[in-house]
Amino acid sequence: ATALEALESKREQILRERQQEQHAEIAARPDLSEEEMQKILKQHKEETELLNGKLSSDLARQQAQINLKLNERMKAKKLAAQNRQHLERAQEKAEQQKEMQALRQDQMRDTEHLVMAQAMKDANTSEGAEDVIAQVLHVRHAQELLDLREAAESEAMLALTASRSELDSELEERE
């Protein structure tokens, strides 16, 4: 609003200065006839109206530019806020996934121990027990590999989102 007030003040100042110049021009020529005086006054009035229109259109154009910049800034702030919220949700989700993965691993290890203990008890030979242990470990390693891939993808997306959020914040600060 202060920028617009400054522009309006500048417009009014220019108009006042032009009117003072016109009055000074008339005062400097006391020898003019009434007809010449009316002609100059008419010309001054037209010049003033033309100047006023030009200044008003400049003011409107500048006001539109200011409004456009304000709208862009508001959109950028809104987008940055949305990105920050998205990042926070993604971080919370990643943390929950880690907790769930830890619980799953604990449950899986408990189940593995039970299966291996039962297999050792039921196995007739040590080879049978080794086969069961090898199968259990194979399943565990496959699950761990899958969990690691998911965690890496999640961390990569989280890092990308965090970087985007940081860039948005920096751009917001510069404006």
Side-chain angles (χ1 to χ4, degrees):
T2 57
L4 293 177
E5 290 170 355
L7 292 173
E8 179 63 27
S9 174
K10 181 74 172 169
R11 183 183 77 84
E12 290 172 1
Q13 179 184 352
I14 291 171
L15 288 173
R16 276 194 309 273
E17 288 173 359
R18 183 63 188 136
Q19 286 176 344
Q20 289 172 354
E21 289 172 6
Q22 291 169 347
H23 290 302
E25 180 183 339
I26 291 172
R29 299 183 61 193
D31 59 329
L32 294 176
S33 68
E34 184 63 30
E35 185 178 306
E36 290 173 328
M37 181 70 74
Q38 291 303 321
K39 186 177 177 183
I40 290 175
L41 287 174
K42 182 179 176 187
Q43 182 182 4
H44 286 180
K45 183 179 178 185
E46 289 172 358
E47 287 175 5
T48 303
E49 287 174 358
L50 182 65
L51 181 61
N52 188 27
K54 194 176 197 182
L55 292 172
S56 293
S57 67
D58 282 349
L59 178 67
R61 180 184 50 77
Q62 290 173 349
Q63 184 174 5
Q65 287 176 339
I66 289 170
N67 287 340
L68 181 64
K69 285 181 181 179
L70 285 174
N71 286 338
E72 287 174 358
R73 199 172 290 156
M74 287 174 55
K75 285 180 185 178
K77 284 184 177 185
K78 183 177 179 182
L79 181 61
Q82 288 173 343
N83 286 341
R84 279 191 299 274
Q85 288 175 348
H86 179 70
L87 176 61
E88 289 171 6
R89 284 193 303 267
Q91 288 171 334
E92 288 174 12
K93 184 178 178 182
E95 189 62 35
Q96 289 173 354
Q97 286 176 341
K98 285 180 183 178
E99 290 173 5
M100 289 296 293
Q101 183 179 359
L103 286 174
R104 247 192 340 253
Q105 286 176 346
D106 288 346
Q107 289 174 345
M108 195 164 98
R109 283 197 175 97
D110 290 345
T111 303
E112 288 171 358
H113 287 278
L114 291 174
V115 168
M116 286 190 283
Q118 187 64 37
M120 298 263 240
K121 193 176 181 184
D122 293 342
N124 295 337
T125 65
S126 63
E127 288 181 12
E130 288 177 9
D131 289 342
V132 170
I133 293 170
Q135 270 186 319
V136 167
L137 290 176
H138 178 71
V139 170
R140 180 197 296 177
H141 292 152
Q143 184 62 45
E144 287 175 350
L145 181 62
L146 181 63
D147 290 344
L148 286 172
R149 285 183 180 155
E150 288 176 0
E153 288 176 10
S154 177
E155 287 177 17
M157 290 301 292
L158 195 58
L160 181 63
T161 304
S163 296
R164 182 176 290 145
S165 180
E166 286 178 33
L167 286 174
D168 288 343
S169 295
E170 287 178 18
L171 286 174
E172 186 179 312
E173 289 174 8
R174 289 182 185 173
E175 295 177 353

